[in-house]
Amino acid sequence: MFWRHEITGVDSVTLHFGERIDIQLVERIHRAAEALRYRLAGRLIDTVPSYTTLLLRYDLLHDDLSSLMASVADTLADLPDAASESTDSDTIEIPVFYHPSVGPDLSTIATRVGLSIEQVIEQHSRETYNVFAIGFAPGFAYLGQVPETLSTPRQATPRPKVPAGTLGIADTQTAIYPLQSPGGWNLIGRTPLTLFDPHRDQPSLLEAGQRVRFRPIGQEEYLKLGGQFDDGDTQ
Amino acid sequence: MSKQVGFVFSKPGFLSLLQDAGRRGVMHMGLTSGGAMDRHAWAWANRLVGNRYASAALEITFGRVEFTCELNTWIAVTGAHAPCFINGRPQSLWTALPVRAGDTVTLGAPSTGIRSYLAVAGGFQIETGPGGSCANFVREGLGGVRGDGHPLKEGDRLPCPTGLPPIKNRKVPESWQPDYKEELTLAVLTGAQIDRFPARVLHTFFTNPYTLSPQADRMGARLKGPGLEVHGTSLISEGTSLGAIQVPPDGQPIILLNDRQTIGGYPKLGAVTPRSLDALAQRPPGSRLRFRATPLHEAQLEERRFLQFFCGLSL
């Protein structure tokens, strides 16, 4: 596994694995992060994987950069470059109620790209997405790639309030807002699942390097699974 | 089960947040680290009342807090220079103070510095959340008194431990108490992305004063000053380190602080050292700041000394 490092803080270092966004790289970084968290447990305070990099924060009281980097090099040397064959069980399925009532930009996107709403839903839910990175907010997963035909730029003015669970598109990325927050993505539906719950053993449903599929559901199933409507929704 | 006793706040102040040493091991989930902004004052408040380094204390921004004690215990108030009273009698800051059940403690508006730290013997008894911390995040709706991210509000009770052995009469010598009026020069570790800035831009940054803008909070400190031109503005988002100086397309630098987003895509000039951030946390909007480059070994030495002093380790 090839990488270089740069010092990004008194107690942090960023490993660079490549220069371009590609899914093999994201998976490799995910495996590197998991291996380091496991092998260097107790030495690393935090690990932040992203598209091409992995930030490590270490404990200055008990470690120094050169011995840490030696251990990092040992751990990463043992990792194969090629990903192991992924299986369907690695893919997380997320039910989504694609509907203008909870996805107010669905019809705008359909008009913009010259498709029916049904075709937009069909195209968006046909893909298997990869979690490229987690950030912006707790459990917020940047998923790619949205089919080029559906690529839509961010809203010029972000909405002040996007309800938790809402699914959106920005350019060729798609994501679910885990918590209610302001947001500029184009909203197309909502999941009844909780993407982030601090009281769960695994607070974040998604992690970088995982795969995701969206399963379209109707209003009845959405409500049965605990889905809710928000004051701002146009039912 | 005995009734929980503590401090009941009749005035919660403008922004009062429970803070400890921050979270560990959660940034890969998009959760930020948080923790006390001025660790120096926070760590002293805890040490004065005999607490271990990571204990939760109340970070009070802009003072104006009043509470009544429901137990006999010890407190310490450090940080911003603000008048402190127990039942109307003036008290020293940076000092362990005995309080008795029924006492009213008042903290006025600070004259210098902006953040005060209130610690109680044994630490406030608050359940920890993700990352083993009770650090209060308004934006994430996590941590704090009830674990829901709300800052302290009127009528809140901060539970305190009872039945502790008495505490020594301790005070931080005046010569050790920082002067928050001094013009601040922040130490910067220059980063690899410094290549994206032409030499004359770096000269501008390291030789001119910058002003702390009113848009400075626990997420980041926005600065105003000579604009910094960057080669190639967009970068693939990567993990953000504490103190990173990011330069957005408008050329006005932003220092990323404790409650920063975990990843970001603006080019970074380098990172302000944690000890400089402690001092920055006491500067109000409008303060003048300067920057100087520092080598890694010096910054690490300074940080290790700080941690060793407060964590009580001898290396």
Side-chain angles (χ1 to χ4, degrees):
Chain A
M1 193 175 269
F2 172 78
W3 52 279
R4 63 183 172 84
H5 78 273
E6 82 187 31
I7 290 156
T8 44
V10 152
D11 58 0
S12 63
V13 61
T14 299
L15 311 185
H16 290 256
F17 293 85
E19 309 303 329
R20 287 209 338 267
I21 297 178
D22 96 66
I23 189 56
Q24 262 113 39
L25 193 59
V26 169
E27 283 175 352
R28 213 179 299 156
I29 293 169
H30 175 58
R31 282 182 291 120
E34 280 196 326
L36 290 170
R37 275 202 289 273
Y38 178 73
R39 292 265 293 267
L40 304 185
R43 291 178 70 183
L44 292 175
I45 297 175
D46 262 302
T47 54
V48 194
S50 192
Y51 298 88
T52 58
T53 55
L54 174 61
L55 174 87
L56 306 177
R57 184 176 164 223
Y58 56 100
D59 187 344
L60 265 190
L61 262 186
H62 303 105
D63 230 323
D64 64 73
L65 186 60
S66 54
S67 60
L68 179 82
M69 290 316 293
S71 304
V72 167
D74 281 349
T75 303
L76 297 187
D78 295 345
L79 281 184
D81 269 338
S84 52
E85 274 302 298
S86 67
T87 61
D88 276 350
S89 62
D90 296 336
T91 305
I92 294 168
E93 188 186 86
I94 298 182
V96 172
F97 178 38
Y98 289 95
H99 193 266
S101 60
V102 290
D105 300 320
L106 202 49
S107 46
T108 327
I109 293 175
T111 312
R112 206 183 98 88
V113 302
L115 295 172
S116 68
I117 286 182
E118 290 68 31
Q119 286 169 317
V120 171
I121 296 171
E122 197 274 321
Q123 290 203 8
H124 187 269
S125 60
R126 194 173 52 197
E127 295 291 315
T128 298
Y129 295 96
N130 294 284
V131 182
F132 279 89
I134 302 277
F136 173 67
F140 188 99
Y142 292 87
L143 302 166
Q145 296 271 339
V146 172
E148 282 294 339
T149 46
L150 299 184
S151 172
T152 308
R154 279 176 176 76
Q155 305 257 312
T157 310
R159 288 185 170 88
K161 184 183 133 186
V162 176
T166 307
L167 174 67
I169 293 179
D171 303 320
T172 56
Q173 296 197 92
T174 188
I176 297 168
Y177 286 87
L179 308 169
Q180 180 188 302
S181 73
W185 293 42
N186 303 283
L187 310 179
I188 58 172
R190 200 175 295 160
T191 179
L193 299 190
T194 303
L195 269 89
F196 185 84
D197 177 355
H199 305 297
R200 276 196 308 235
D201 271 356
Q202 294 289 334
S204 180
L205 181 67
L206 302 175
E207 273 194 35
Q210 290 176 329
R211 288 158 204 270
V212 174
R213 257 175 184 284
F214 296 114
R215 179 170 64 86
I217 56 171
Q219 178 164 333
E220 199 180 328
E221 188 175 356
Y222 174 70
L223 293 171
K224 209 176 105 200
L225 292 171
Q228 290 180 3
F229 288 101
D230 184 81
D231 297 343
D233 295 334
T234 52
Q235 281 183 69
Chain B
M1 215 173 90
S2 65
K3 177 177 159 283
Q4 262 191 334
V5 293
F7 298 160
V8 179
F9 287 77
S10 50
K11 290 182 190 162
F14 167 74
L15 180 67
S16 300
L17 304 170
L18 273 171
Q19 293 294 345
D20 49 25
R23 299 160 170 166
R24 285 174 167 241
V26 294
M27 279 184 80
H28 63 285
M29 295 185 286
L31 283 163
T32 188
S33 47
M37 291 278 281
D38 175 1
R39 298 170 310 155
H40 175 260
W42 163 80
W44 265 121
N46 274 319
R47 170 169 277 205
L48 283 165
V49 292
N51 296 346
R52 64 185 182 88
Y53 176 73
S55 303
L58 191 66
E59 180 177 281
I60 300 164
T61 306
F62 299 128
R64 296 181 190 278
V65 160
E66 188 171 270
F67 62 91
T68 304
C69 307
E70 296 179 319
L71 73 162
N72 302 343
T73 186
W74 293 71
I75 61 167
V77 181
T78 60
H81 197 79
C84 178
F85 304 92
I86 298 178
N87 301 327
R89 286 190 307 275
Q91 306 292 325
S92 300
L93 301 177
W94 303 91
T95 305
L97 305 168
V99 291
R100 303 195 64 80
D103 282 355
T104 297
V105 180
T106 313
L107 190 69
S111 53
T112 60
I114 60 173
R115 290 185 167 95
S116 305
Y117 290 89
L118 166 70
V120 68
F124 293 112
Q125 303 295 288
I126 300 292
E127 263 185 52
T128 56
S133 163
C134 69
N136 192 337
F137 294 86
V138 180
R139 182 178 85 238
E140 291 176 355
L142 287 174
V145 190
R146 278 168 303 276
D148 61 2
H150 274 286
L152 196 72
K153 59 181 201 292
E154 191 184 325
D156 275 348
R157 171 188 283 113
L158 283 187
C160 304
T162 53
L164 297 170
I167 277 167
K168 281 190 206 124
N169 199 353
R170 291 196 181 105
K171 183 175 174 63
V172 180
E174 266 177 40
S175 57
W176 289 16
Q177 297 175 20
D179 173 9
Y180 303 132
K181 281 200 298 284
E182 268 180 359
E183 185 173 285
L184 190 59
T185 300
L186 301 169
V188 175
L189 286 168
T190 52
Q193 289 167 22
I194 205 159
D195 293 348
R196 285 173 165 256
F197 301 86
R200 63 184 158 76
V201 169
L202 296 177
H203 181 79
T204 302
F205 180 70
F206 283 107
T207 53
N208 283 287
Y210 280 79
T211 306
L212 191 57
S213 107
Q215 286 168 289
D217 55 20
R218 291 184 45 96
M219 272 181 86
R222 281 169 190 272
L223 307 178
K224 276 186 197 155
L228 303 173
E229 180 195 322
V230 191
H231 287 319
T233 48
S234 86
L235 195 75
I236 298 170
S237 281
E238 59 181 43
T240 55
S241 49
L242 180 68
I245 303 167
Q246 64 173 26
V247 184
D250 71 2
Q252 299 292 310
I254 303 171
I255 306 172
L256 302 183
L257 302 176
N258 304 42
D259 293 2
R260 68 196 179 280
Q261 291 183 355
T262 52
I263 63 174
Y266 291 126
K268 295 165 203 87
L269 245 164
V272 175
T273 65
R275 293 293 293 119
S276 282
L277 295 178
D278 291 335
L280 176 64
Q282 293 294 355
R283 264 58 183 186
S287 298
R288 267 174 33 127
L289 306 168
R290 287 181 180 276
F291 296 91
R292 69 176 169 87
T294 189
L296 179 67
H297 67 91
E298 263 179 38
Q300 288 194 329
L301 185 67
E302 184 189 52
E303 179 65 9
R304 283 200 175 100
R305 275 193 187 137
F306 172 82
L307 292 173
Q308 281 160 9
F309 180 82
F310 283 107
C311 298
L313 290 175
S314 51
L315 285 185

